[in-house]
Amino acid sequence: MVNFSELILRKFRNIAGSRYEEIMKAYQEFFLTEEELQIPVITSILLVVDRFSGRIPNEVFDVLSAYPGARVDVVYLIDEGLFALIRDTLGEREAEEFRRKEESLGREIITLAERALSELGLDYSAEITFADKVEFIETESENRDLLIISRHFGSESVKTHKVSPVVFRIVQGIRKPVIVY
């Protein structure tokens, strides 16, 4: 195993002169530790989509092909809070119409994902779930090694913010590796 601090010391020793040790101490907290340099073993992946995510791009499946033994759980999430709000304000019929359209969109996206995962030969499951989006991901990601999520998950993005606030909250709240596409 390469000791990176020795490598840095050897490579840049004569560049900064006597200030090198001082610079190393000042920036020590920004260097990765040996533990942080270890590539985590990925055996379970949570891939979450919703109406704002849209179809999963092929590049995501290219990344998934790097984990041949991993199990991928694809979940299309429908916001239960939004469903309840529609039911309370517009009525049961409108809420059921919303549910029917969401499930139809979810089945379409999941079918495409299943086809791509099947072609890769990966073990997978797919489901449509009603839940609070942030709570669901925080809970379910505890049992997974990697989370993959669209930058548009949870809300539409705007010109000034390329990543939705829901994704920011999720990424800041969990301690697992996350791929935001």
Side-chain angles (χ1 to χ4, degrees):
M1 169 99 350
V2 176
N3 186 340
F4 286 96
S5 60
E6 288 180 17
L7 181 66
I8 291 168
L9 184 63
R10 193 173 51 215
K11 182 153 180 83
F12 298 105
R13 180 175 298 168
N14 297 325
I15 293 176
S18 62
R19 292 188 50 219
Y20 181 75
E21 292 297 326
E22 183 180 319
I23 292 169
M24 282 292 290
K25 285 181 183 176
Y27 291 95
Q28 188 172 10
E29 65 187 66
F30 297 106
F31 295 132
L32 296 176
T33 63
E34 294 295 326
E35 182 179 287
E36 292 168 330
L37 290 171
Q38 298 295 320
I39 297 172
V41 176
I42 304 294
T43 59
S44 60
I45 300 168
L46 178 62
L47 173 56
V48 184
V49 292
D50 70 351
R51 66 183 358 249
F52 301 105
S53 303
R55 292 184 178 162
I56 303 166
N58 290 334
E59 290 80 9
V60 171
F61 297 110
D62 291 342
V63 170
L64 289 174
S65 69
Y67 306 106
R71 176 180 172 79
V72 181
D73 297 317
V74 182
V75 178
Y76 182 88
L77 267 177
I78 301 172
D79 190 343
E80 69 179 3
L82 181 58
F83 178 75
L85 181 66
I86 291 172
R87 187 182 59 223
D88 293 344
T89 57
L90 300 175
E92 192 67 37
R93 197 174 103 206
E94 295 300 325
E96 287 305 318
E97 179 69 16
F98 169 75
R99 177 189 194 120
R100 187 183 59 72
K101 286 182 179 178
E102 281 288 309
E103 288 177 342
S104 174
L105 179 61
R107 275 192 295 277
E108 179 184 323
I109 291 173
I110 283 177
T111 300
L112 293 172
E114 287 176 321
R115 186 176 308 140
L117 291 169
S118 177
E119 288 174 5
L120 291 173
L122 292 173
D123 183 25
Y124 66 89
S125 71
E127 67 177 296
I128 298 174
T129 301
F130 275 82
D132 177 275
K133 292 181 177 183
V134 175
E135 287 179 15
F136 178 86
I137 292 174
E138 287 176 345
T139 302
E140 292 298 317
S141 66
E142 290 293 320
N143 302 324
R144 308 305 197 298
D145 300 320
L146 176 67
L147 169 66
I148 300 177
I149 190 169
S150 166
R151 64 187 168 118
H152 303 295
F153 181 82
S155 68
E156 292 181 8
S157 61
V158 294
K159 288 182 179 178
T160 56
H161 297 88
K162 297 294 182 189
V163 177
S164 79
V166 175
V167 173
F168 268 125
R169 181 175 166 197
I170 291 168
V171 170
Q172 291 174 342
I174 65 171
R175 297 194 158 274
K176 302 288 178 155
V178 180
I179 295 176
V180 179
Y181 64 90

